[in-house]
């Protein structure tokens, strides 16, 4: 039950920016193994905390009814009490803070700003009087924090620098992470409307959201290719373009309605694409 609550198939969203930032550090002879491990622990812990908090908050707001597509949520289904889910959320937050304290000794005070901003974004997604995840702000937040902040931050913690290559590659990392959330929100568009959860997919409608999803994927590969061509990023990053053909095949059925297993398969494939690219 707890493994299902972690939502392991989506964890590439936090793993990928650390791999990209650390890979850039390796290529620029700035790599530190302890920094890479701490950054990975911190990033994954924050995402797990966000998944736990989302599970508990959606159940409280009635956004996870029994007729939703996709796997059941643990609090809404009664498998895990809300109090235990919130306790697990704070344990994950504590793990992220512990990793952040180690990174603080390596890279200094900017790590505190990165950590505080990430935690505030995590709790603000579903918590408080105006959770922005319920007001079409989810994809923007994922782009910023699982893309720009996480990628540039993962490069910064190695030697205290943030080169142009990290900023450039943070764009496709963020776009593909946001695509994962968009697939999730497209799947849940019916039940989200019923619960007054105004995700970007609900606001744009199924057709508009499907167009934006394709644009995210195409835009990600365009930035990867352009960065390599103009040598802002290492030339070998162009190898990621090999994934564009299967990427386009992923979304050929959208916006046609999919059944529950179809949406799960698309979500898993989108997460895999994020990792492959």
């Amino acid at each position: 039950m707890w493994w299902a609550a972690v939502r392991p198939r989506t964890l590439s969203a936090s793993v990928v920016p650390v791999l990209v930032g650390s890979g850039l550090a390796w290529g620029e002879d700035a790599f530190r193994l302890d920094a890479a491990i701490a950054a990975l622990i911190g990033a994954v812990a924050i995402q797990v905390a966000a998944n736990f908090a989302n599970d508990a908050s959606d159940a409280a707001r009635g956004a996870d009814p029994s007729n939703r597509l996709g796997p059941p949520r643990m609090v809404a289904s009664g498998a895990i009490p809300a109090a235990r889910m919130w306790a697990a959320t704070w344990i994950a937050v504590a793990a992220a803070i512990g990793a952040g304290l180690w990174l603080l000794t390596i890279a200094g005070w900017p790590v505190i700003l990165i950590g505080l901003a990430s935690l505030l974004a995590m709790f603000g997604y579903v918590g408080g009087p105006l959770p922005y995840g319920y007001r079409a702000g989810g994809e923007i937040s994922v782009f910023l924090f699982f893309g720009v902040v996480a990628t540039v931050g993962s490069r910064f913690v190695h030697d205290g620098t943030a080169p142009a290559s990290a900023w450039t590659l943070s764009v496709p990392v963020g776009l593909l992470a946001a695509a994962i959330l968009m697939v999730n929100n497209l799947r849940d568009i019916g039940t989200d409307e019923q619960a007054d959860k105004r995700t970007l997919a609900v606001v744009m409608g199924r057709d508009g959201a499907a167009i934006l999803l394709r644009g995210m994927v195409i835009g990600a590969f365009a930035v990867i290719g352009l960065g390599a061509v103009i040598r802002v990023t290492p030339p070998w990053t162009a190898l990621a373009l090999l994934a564009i053909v299967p990427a386009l095949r992923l979304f050929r059925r959208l916006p046609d309605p999919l059944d529950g297993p179809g949406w799960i398969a698309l979500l898993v494939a989108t997460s895999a694409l994020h990792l492959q690219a």
Side-chain angles (χ1 to χ4, degrees):
M1 294 183 296
W2 283 105
W3 186 238
V6 166
R7 306 181 196 179
R9 291 171 173 172
T10 66
L11 291 185
S12 64
S14 56
V15 172
V16 167
V18 179
L19 293 179
V20 172
S22 298
L24 287 171
W26 180 280
E28 295 161 1
D29 295 324
F31 180 81
R32 288 188 56 156
L33 181 60
D34 58 341
I37 293 174
L40 183 61
I41 292 172
V44 172
I46 288 176
Q47 185 178 1
V48 170
N51 288 345
F52 287 170
N54 182 261
D55 195 306
S57 295
D58 276 356
R61 296 174 184 271
D64 282 336
S66 58
N67 64 334
R68 68 183 294 275
L69 297 175
R73 296 297 180 230
M74 295 300 103
V75 176
S77 66
I80 298 175
R84 289 188 181 182
M85 187 65 77
W86 282 115
T89 299
W90 285 107
I91 291 172
V93 168
I97 292 174
L101 291 175
W102 181 259
L103 293 173
L104 175 64
T105 67
I106 299 173
W109 64 266
V111 172
I112 297 177
L113 297 182
I114 294 172
L116 286 177
S118 299
L119 289 174
L120 288 174
M122 185 269 290
F123 281 114
Y125 179 73
V126 293
L130 293 173
Y132 63 84
Y134 285 70
R135 295 295 179 267
E139 283 78 6
I140 295 175
S141 176
V142 166
F143 172 79
L144 290 175
F145 285 95
F146 286 91
V148 178
V149 173
T151 305
V152 177
S154 294
R155 174 62 183 87
F156 178 84
V157 296
H158 289 271
D159 64 353
T161 65
S165 57
W167 291 97
T168 302
L169 290 182
S170 73
V171 174
V173 170
L175 286 173
L176 292 177
I180 297 173
L181 180 60
M182 179 61 83
V183 170
N184 182 83
N185 289 341
L186 268 166
R187 180 195 65 195
D188 295 342
I189 195 168
T191 52
D192 284 345
E193 285 179 322
Q194 294 173 10
D196 195 30
K197 185 176 181 180
R198 305 288 293 172
T199 64
L200 191 58
V202 170
V203 172
M204 297 186 68
R206 192 175 299 276
D207 290 346
I211 292 172
L212 179 59
L213 175 59
R214 292 189 181 96
M216 289 177 180
V217 175
I218 294 171
F221 284 102
V223 173
I224 291 171
L226 180 61
V229 167
I230 66 177
R231 298 298 180 92
V232 175
T233 61
W236 47 262
T237 56
L239 290 174
L241 297 177
L242 295 174
I244 194 169
V245 174
L248 295 177
R249 290 175 182 166
L250 282 179
F251 309 110
R252 67 185 184 277
R253 289 183 59 186
L254 292 176
D256 295 337
L258 302 175
D259 57 12
W263 280 115
I264 293 174
L266 182 59
L267 184 61
V268 170
T270 307
S271 297
L273 173 65
H274 189 217
L275 185 60
Q276 292 162 1

